[in-house]
Amino acid sequence: MHWIDYVNPHSVREATELLAEHGESARILAGGTDLLVLLRGGTMDNVNLVVDGKSIPELNEVTYDPQAGLTLGAAVPCYKIYNNQAVAHAYPGLIDTASLIGGTQIQGRATLGGNLCNAAPSGDSIPAMIALSGVANIAGPSGNRSVPVEDFCTAPRQTVLKRGEMLVSLHFPPPVPNSGARYLRFIPRNEMDIAVAGAGVSVVLDNGTIKSARVSLASVAPTPLFVKEAGEALVGMPATEESVRIASGLARDAARPITDMRGTIEYRKHLCEVLTRRALLTAIERAKEA
Amino acid sequence: MTTTAYEPNMVLVNETFDVVGTRPIRHDGADKVTGRALYGADFDTAGLLHGKILRSPHAHARIKSIDTSKAEALPGVLAIVTAKDLPTTKAGVIVDFGEGNMELKYLRDNILASDKALYKGHAIAAVAASSPHVAEEAAALIDVQYEVLEPVLTAPEGMKEGAPLVHEDLKTEELGEKTDKSSNLASHFRHTKGDLDQGFQEADIVVEREFNTVTVHQGYIEPHPATALWNQDGRLHIWCSTQGAFVVRDSCAQILDIPVSQIRVVPMEIGGGFGGKINVYLEPVAALLSKKTGHAVKIVMSRADCFEGTGPTPGSYVKVKIGAKNDGTITAAHAYLAYEAGAYPGSPVGAGGMCVFSAYDIDNVVIDGYDVVVNKPKTAAYRAPGAPNAAFATEQVVDELANKLGMDPIDLRLKNAAKEGTRRADGPVFPRIGCVEVLEAMKSHPHYSAPLEGPNRGRGVSIGFWFNIGLASSCSISVNDDGTINLVEGSTDIGGTRASIAMQAAEVLGIAAEDVRPSVADTDSVGYTAVTGGSRTTFATGWAAYEAAQDVKRQMIERAATVWEVDADSVEFDKGAFKSKTDPELSMSFKDLAGRLSSTGGPIVGRAAVNPQGAGGSFAGNIVDVEVDPETGKVEVLRFTAVQDVGKAIHPSYVEGQMQGGSAQGIGWALNEEYYMGEQGQMTNTSLLDYRMPTSLDLPMIDTVIVEVANPGHPFGVRGVGEANIIPPTPAIANAIHSATGLRLERLPMNPGAVTEAGWKQRK
Amino acid sequence: MPGKTYVQATINGEHTDFLCEPRQSLLEVLRDVIGLTGTKEGCNDGNCGACTIILDGRIVTPCLVLAVEAEGKEMTTIEGIANGSTLHPIQQSFLENAALQCGICTPGFIVATKALLDENPNPTEYEIRFWLANNLCRCTGYDKIIRAVQDAATTMQEAKA
C-alpha cells in the first residue's frame, strides 16, 4: 500500500475540519472492510489521510425509542445491531441485512454507515434502509443536514457528501403497527458473497389491505434503486400474492442491470421479480404478526 | 493419545495389523493447532528483503521496452530484475516435475517474460526492497511499453485457422510426428482399441454430447511464498512451500544454469497445494534478487497473483459418443478432448485420455486428445489433472444411456465395469482393481435406496478413475536407545503423511506410531524424493519407510545374534520382539535391544531408496442428492456419499479426509468456481470472495465409504487416495440436477444463472 | 516521509508495544513486527479467515484492521489459546478428529471456534457452519472440522458440569 497518515479525532467537528482541509485525499475509516481493500487495490491512490471515526461519540450511538425511532451511529458494527434485543425486535428487516453482510468476522467490523458511504450498487444494507425510510444525518463545515437514504448514492462509489461532510448517523422512524419489512438477496453461495440481486421491502397493512409499501433493489443499477412505483402500485390492494406479483413485475421492469461475472441482464431482471415477490410475502407475514 | 478401533466398510485385505489401520494423532499436530508450525511465509532471517513482481495487465502483448529507472530511484529499493537477468537456455531441454513436465525455455519464459507477455499476470520484472510496501510502490513505477495483441482464450478458438498465434515458432506434433504447421495446436494424440465403426454398428442406441468446462484453480489457502539467499560462498538456499523440494532444486538449477549441488531447498510447512505447488514461480526470481543484493529476499504472492500468475487447471471442450446394446453392453466409445494448455504446451489432456473411459471395459474405442496453447496462465496439476474434465462428459453420457435404456445407472456401470485383465484404450492392462467393488458399495449403501423427499430434488451417481503414480522416494531411520526411532523423509507433509509414513515403519518394527519421530528434511539431508503428488506419498514414501524399517530389522537381528552369540539365521523378529528360533529363553523386545546398541557395536541406521511401479489405480464413486430452486436455479447439495477403493487405509481418518476434501473441491468446481474472463482475457474475479469456493455453509456432511481392495503392488496393499475423489462430483451433481429438473447441463460451472438459463432454453 | 506510530496493546494477556507505519495492517504487524506468525495470511482482504483473531471480545480479520487502530485494545491470537503447557479442548478436539490437513487455516478456525463456544456453548450444526462461513478450508470439506467443534463443545460442557 502507498503511504497514508492516520488521525483519530474525538469530535465531529475535528473530523469535518480535517475532511474540509484535505478534500478528496481524506477518507473516513469505520469498519474498514471496504476502505482497506480499496486502498490496497490501487483505486484510491489519491487518498493519503485516513480519519478514524470510531472515537467520535455520535458515530457510536445506538438509541432506540418506540416514539422517536432508531438512531444508529455511522461506525456501529453489524454485530452490535443484531445483538441489541430492542433493535432486533423492532426492525427485523434491518437485522436481515446486518446478519448477512460478509461473515462473522466481517460483521465484527463492518458498519451500515460504511456500507452506505461506500455506495456500491450491491451494498446489501442500502435497499433495506431505503425500505425502512432511513435518513442519513450528515455533518459538515456549514452545519448539519439530513438526506433520505434513497437519495444518498449518486453513482457507483459516489455520494451526496460534499467536501468536509461526513455521515454521522442513520435514523429510522419507529415501526408503525401492522408493518413488516424484509431484505432478501440472491447469492450463489450461502454466505460470503456479493448480491447478484437484492430486494429490500416494507409494507404497512390495514385489515388485510396494503396501506403503504416501499421496494428497493440492489445490484441491478449504478446505485441501489428505489422503485417507488412498485410500492405505490400496492397501495389499497389486498395483501395477497396476486397483488405482490404486480409490484414484483414493476421491480423487474425497473431494474437496469449489466451482464458481468455475477449474472446476465436477463437473469438479474428475473431475480428482481423473484426476490421482490418473496420479500414482500415475508414482509406481509411479518406485518400480520407485528 | 487415543486410538479408535477401525471398522472399514468393505474389506478385501485379509491381513490384520497393529498400527496400520489405526487413528493415532498426527506427529505434527500440536505444532499446527498452536500456530507454532512454520510455513513458507513465516520464514525470517537477518537482513531479509522483500520482493514484489510486476505482472502483465494484458493477456497477449509484445514487450517493447522496460524502463526501471524511476523504480530504482525510490528510496529503499535495492535491486530490480527482468528476463535479461536469467541465463539463456538451450532449446529442447525437458524439465520433469514428476506430475508433468515442461520445456526449459518455456519454463524460463514463464518465470519472467522475455519478448511477449502471454497471459494477464505473466511476470515481467521484480523488485527487492526494504519492505513489501516499498517493493510494491517500486513495481508500480516500472514503465513497460506493450504492443497489445489479440488474445486467444479457448481450445476450439485456438485451433481455428487464422487464430492469433501464441507462439509463432510452435509446430504441431501430429500423432507423434513433428509437422511444419505453425499453430496453437501443440499436439494431437490418438488411442485406439478394436474397431470403432464396427462397435457403433453393433449398438442399438448411441448418445453423443458436447461439453465445455472453464479454467478453475486449486484454491490452496496459503499463497505461494519463497525466500532465497544466494550466499557469498556461491550456494543458493531456498525456503519455500512446495510439494517437491527436489523439483524446486532441479528446476532452479536448470533455469539459473548452476549445478544441483549448489542449491539447497528447505521445504517449510505447506498450506495446501493440490498439484499447484509443484512448478516453480517465485524461487528463481528471489534467487536473482538475492544474488544482486547479497541479502535473503522473500516474495509472497497476493491472492490475485495466485489466480493470475500460477498454474490453474484448464478449461476444455469434450465431445463423447457412446453406443450400447439394448441389454446395456457398451459396444463403442469415442472421445474428442481439446484442453487449454495455457500459455505453453502441456495441458493434462494426456491424463484425460488415460481416464476418460477407464472405468469401463469397452471393446471398441478411439480417444483423440488435443493440447492447445491459449493466452491464459500455463496450466499445472490439480488433483487428478485432466480426469474431471473428461468424466464430466463420459459420466453424463452413461447416465443418459441408462435413462434411455431404462436401466439403473449403477447396474449399467456394473455391467460394463473395468476389472482385472481389462485393457485400457491407452494400453495398460488392469491388475487387481476395485471398480466393481466401489459400484457395489454404492448400490448397497442406504443412501442409494433412501427416498427423495420433497419436490425439485434429484439423485445422481458417477464413478471416476485415476491411475496414480509411483516414483522415487528415500528414507532413513536411526534407532534411539529408548526404543524409539527417528525417521527422515523427503516428502513434504501436505495432509498427514508424516503419520501415514511413520505408521508403516512402526508396523514393521512392532512399535507404536507415537514411537516414531518423523521429519521432513531439506535436499541436502535426504535422498532424492519426488513430489508429494500423484497420490504417491503414502504409497511410495511409505514403501521407502517400510524398506528402511526392514533394513533396521535386519541389522537388529544381527545385533541380537551377537548379544546371544548365536547365528543370525536362528533369530527372528515377531510381535515386536527378537527371539531365538531354537531357545525360547532368548527373547528381547525392540526397546530392550535398542538400549543395548551403544554397548554392542554402536548405532543402527536403516536406509532405503525405492522407485516402485505398480501404484495401482483408484476408483471413486459418488451418490449425490440435490434440490434445485426452480425460480433461481440454485442447487443445494443435500446429501453426499463418497466411496473409494483405497487399497488399504493406513490412517483411516486422513483417508476419509482426502475423500471429503476431493469431494468438496469437486462440488465447488461443479457449482460455482470459474475464471470469469473478460473479452480481452482478464480474469475479473481474482478474490476469494468472487471466486466462490465452498464455505462451511455450502456443504453437507460428506459421508465416506472406504473400500479396501488390496493393491498387489504394495507391501500393505496401499493405493494412493489423494486424487480420484475429485473426479465423480461434477457429473454426479449434473446427473442429480437432471434427475431433479430434466435439464442436461453441458457446461461448468452449473451456477444458478446457468441452470436457470438452461431451463429457459429448454422451454423455448 | 512521516515516521512510525507508537502503539500499546494487550496481546494474549500481556502488555505489548510496537512501532508501525499507519499503512501496516494489524496482521502484518502481528506477524512481521511482533513475530506471532501463527496468525496466517490467505487473502489479505477478509475473505478467507485464516488470520482470525479476537479483538476486544469479537473475532475479526486483522488484515482489515490497521495496526494503529489497535491502540489500547485487547487481542487473543492462536498463540494465546492453549492453557500453558496443555492444549485447549478445541485444539485437542481438532487433533483427535483429524480436522486439519495442511493446517494453514487451522489457527483461524480454532480462534473462531473459541469465540463461538464462549458465546454459544452448545451450537447446532447450522450455527457452527454459519459462524465459521468466514473461514475457508480447502482440504477437509469441513466435515471433520464441524465434528471437532461439536466434540469440543461437548467436552467443554462436561468439564463445566
Side-chain angles (χ1 to χ4, degrees), chain A residues 12 16 116-117 135-148 151-152 159-170:
Chain A
V12 170
T16 53
L116 181 59
C117 292
V135 171
N137 296 323
I138 298 166
S142 47
N144 301 339
R145 63 181 177 127
S146 293
V147 173
D151 297 332
F152 192 86
T159 70
V160 296
L161 291 178
K162 297 187 197 120
R163 187 176 182 125
E165 285 190 328
M166 64 185 285
L167 178 70
V168 174
S169 64
L170 296 152

Side-chain angles (χ1 to χ4, degrees), chain B residues 568-638:
Chain B
D569 290 345
S570 70
V571 180
E572 62 178 6
F573 183 69
D574 181 38
K575 292 191 170 59
F578 298 91
K579 292 170 186 165
S580 163
K581 290 178 189 167
T582 50
D583 183 349
E585 296 288 298
L586 296 180
S587 174
M588 221 181 332
S589 71
F590 183 88
K591 191 176 175 181
D592 289 342
L593 183 55
R596 297 178 63 172
L597 293 184
S598 59
S599 61
T600 58
I604 282 182
V605 177
R607 61 176 181 77
V610 301
N611 195 359
Q613 309 299 312
S618 178
F619 289 84
N622 291 158
I623 310 166
V624 184
D625 293 356
V626 302
E627 182 171 321
V628 183
D629 184 323
E631 291 192 317
T632 65
K634 185 164 170 172
V635 176
E636 196 71 36
V637 178
L638 301 173

Side-chain angles (χ1 to χ4, degrees), chain B residues 312-363:
Chain B
T313 206
S316 56
Y317 165 83
V318 177
K319 187 164 67 180
V320 161
K321 180 179 174 185
I322 302 179
K325 291 186 183 170
N326 284 330
D327 70 353
T329 308
I330 295 176
T331 57
H334 180 225
Y336 176 105
L337 311 163
Y339 284 25
E340 297 162 10
Y344 303 97
S347 75
V349 70
M354 292 161 75
C355 296
V356 61
F357 297 131
S358 291
Y360 302 98
D361 187 353
I362 310 172
D363 288 338

Side-chain angles (χ1 to χ4, degrees), chain B residues 32-231:
Chain B
K32 286 182 176 164
V33 297
T34 55
R36 200 162 290 123
L38 293 174
Y39 292 73
D42 302 334
F43 181 81
D44 195 11
T45 189
L48 183 72
L49 300 178
H50 299 269
K52 177 73 188 175
I53 291 181
L54 176 71
R55 297 178 182 278
S56 169
H58 307 293
H60 194 189
R62 198 167 302 285
I63 300 166
K64 289 161 67 183
S65 65
I66 303 175
D67 179 358
T68 60
S69 54
K70 275 188 202 150
E72 279 162 28
L74 191 71
V77 172
L78 281 94
I80 294 175
V81 294
T82 65
K84 289 204 176 81
D85 294 285
L86 285 166
T88 50
T89 48
K90 300 167 278 283
V93 180
I94 301 294
V95 183
D96 188 355
F97 309 129
E99 202 165 37
N101 58 49
M102 201 165 163
E103 191 171 323
L104 178 57
K105 75 173 168 117
Y106 292 146
L107 179 60
R108 172 199 184 276
D109 262 14
N110 198 32
I111 298 300
L112 285 167
S114 50
D115 59 332
K116 282 210 297 186
L118 298 181
Y119 52 93
K120 179 174 187 255
H122 200 158
I124 305 291
V127 183
S130 54
S131 93
H133 298 285
V134 174
E136 190 186 324
E137 287 178 285
L141 291 173
I142 297 173
D143 183 14
V144 185
Q145 293 297 316
Y146 296 97
E147 177 196 345
V148 178
L149 305 169
E150 194 189 335
V152 55
L153 297 172
T154 67
E157 222 180 88
M159 288 163 79
K160 276 188 193 150
E161 284 294 331
L165 290 178
V166 179
H167 300 277
E168 285 81 1
D169 58 349
L170 180 69
K171 309 287 182 196
T172 302
E173 192 181 292
E174 174 67 23
L175 303 180
E177 302 286 330
K178 264 278 177 240
T179 68
D180 286 336
K181 195 175 157 49
S182 286
S183 163
N184 294 316
L185 174 59
S187 65
H188 166 218
F189 69 80
R190 173 175 293 166
H191 303 307
T192 54
K193 179 185 172 189
D195 182 335
L196 191 70
D197 291 340
Q198 177 71 31
F200 278 119
Q201 276 171 26
E202 288 168 18
D204 296 313
I205 179 172
V206 174
V207 173
E208 179 174 8
R209 278 190 183 270
E210 295 171 74
F211 300 87
N212 286 281
T213 74
V214 297
T215 309
V216 296
H217 196 264
Q218 298 85 355
Y220 34 77
I221 303 298
E222 177 205 34
H224 292 248
T227 304
L229 171 63
W230 206 315
N231 208 3

